[in-house]
């Protein structure tokens, strides 16, 4: 991922160009963890830990941050490449910036990166109850292809099923 690539919300349909909306991608580094972890905790009932992110970086997984010109973290993703497939492990839009099209920007960046690696597929799991995320993925071209039973922990006790989704990159 080219960290010098810039995007603006004007790239999104129906959005006017706003100079303050310029953003860029940069790789996740340990310096960002103190900023990222509170966002992760706010976004999820069972957030990734510092160790999860450190392990992902140590394993060489792609971990990209979407940052605006004010150095605010808009969102991020972590993805693992195995052979000709990319598995999206974590994608998060900062709750303070949700519903502004940033999930689409993150998914576009992930798709571009996967294509540059000649990946054939992107795979992900999403909570069965997360209708909003499932809709975002579907609009991006992901198809629901299966279910992982009792995949996610829940605050109430019983585990929640995951919906397995995939995106075919090359036809």
């Amino acid at each position: 991922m080219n960290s010098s690539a810039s995007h603006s919300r004007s790239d999104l349909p129906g959005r006017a160009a706003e100079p303050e909306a310029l953003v860029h991608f940069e790789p996740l580094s340990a310096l960002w963890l103190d900023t990222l972890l509170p966002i992760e905790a706010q976004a999820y009932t069972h957030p990734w830990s510092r160790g999860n992110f450190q392990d992902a970086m140590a394993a060489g997984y792609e971990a990209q941050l979407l940052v605006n010109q004010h150095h605010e973290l808009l969102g991020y993703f972590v993805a693992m490449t195995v052979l000709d497939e990319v598995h999206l492990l974590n994608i998060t839009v900062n709750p303070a910036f949700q519903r502004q099209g940033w999930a689409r920007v993150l998914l576009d960046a992930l798709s571009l990166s996967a294509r540059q690696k000649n990946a054939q597929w992107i795979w992900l799991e999403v909570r069965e109850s997360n209708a909003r995320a499932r809709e975002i993925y579907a609009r991006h071209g992901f198809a629901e292809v299966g279910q992982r039973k009792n995949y996610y922990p829940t605050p109430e006790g019983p585990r929640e099923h995951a919906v397995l989704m995939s995106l075919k990159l090359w036809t």
Side-chain angles (χ1 to χ4, degrees):
M1 185 99 297
N2 182 345
S3 63
S4 65
S6 291
H7 302 273
S8 73
R9 285 189 290 180
S10 64
D11 296 340
L12 305 175
R15 301 283 185 165
E18 299 175 26
E20 71 276 7
L22 292 177
V23 299
H24 68 275
F25 283 93
E26 64 182 73
L28 173 62
S29 70
L31 298 174
W32 274 100
L33 289 179
D34 288 339
T35 301
L36 183 148
L37 289 169
I39 293 167
E40 179 79 4
Q42 186 180 4
Y44 299 109
T45 58
H46 291 83
W48 274 26
S49 68
R50 179 180 296 272
N52 293 134
F53 285 103
Q54 290 170 327
D55 289 348
M57 288 186 293
Y61 296 165
E62 182 172 11
Q64 291 290 324
L65 307 175
L66 180 60
V67 180
N68 69 15
Q69 73 175 30
H70 304 294
H71 219 55
E72 295 170 301
L73 182 55
L74 303 177
Y76 48 90
F77 70 83
V78 179
M80 170 181 68
T81 302
V82 178
L83 301 174
D84 66 346
E85 299 180 349
V86 171
H87 192 112
L88 179 59
L89 302 173
N90 185 323
I91 185 167
T92 305
V93 174
N94 182 336
F97 296 99
Q98 288 182 356
R99 299 188 182 273
Q100 298 177 20
W102 299 121
R104 183 175 136 193
V105 172
L106 288 163
L107 287 170
D108 284 346
L110 173 66
S111 295
L112 177 61
S113 173
R115 286 176 187 274
Q116 289 172 335
K117 295 173 185 170
N118 292 315
Q120 299 294 308
W121 295 91
I122 299 175
W123 295 89
L124 62 86
E125 291 89 11
V126 60
R127 285 182 183 271
E128 193 172 54
S129 65
N130 194 342
R132 187 167 141 216
R134 289 168 65 185
E135 180 182 323
I136 290 168
Y137 296 135
R139 277 185 294 181
H140 200 78
F142 283 84
E144 295 187 6
V145 296
Q147 183 183 68
R148 298 194 194 279
K149 295 194 181 289
N150 304 314
Y151 189 79
Y152 287 110
T154 62
E156 309 82 46
R159 297 177 71 85
E160 181 176 358
H161 300 325
V163 175
L164 179 63
M165 299 184 79
S166 67
L167 174 66
K168 178 86 170 133
L169 296 172
W170 305 102
T171 54

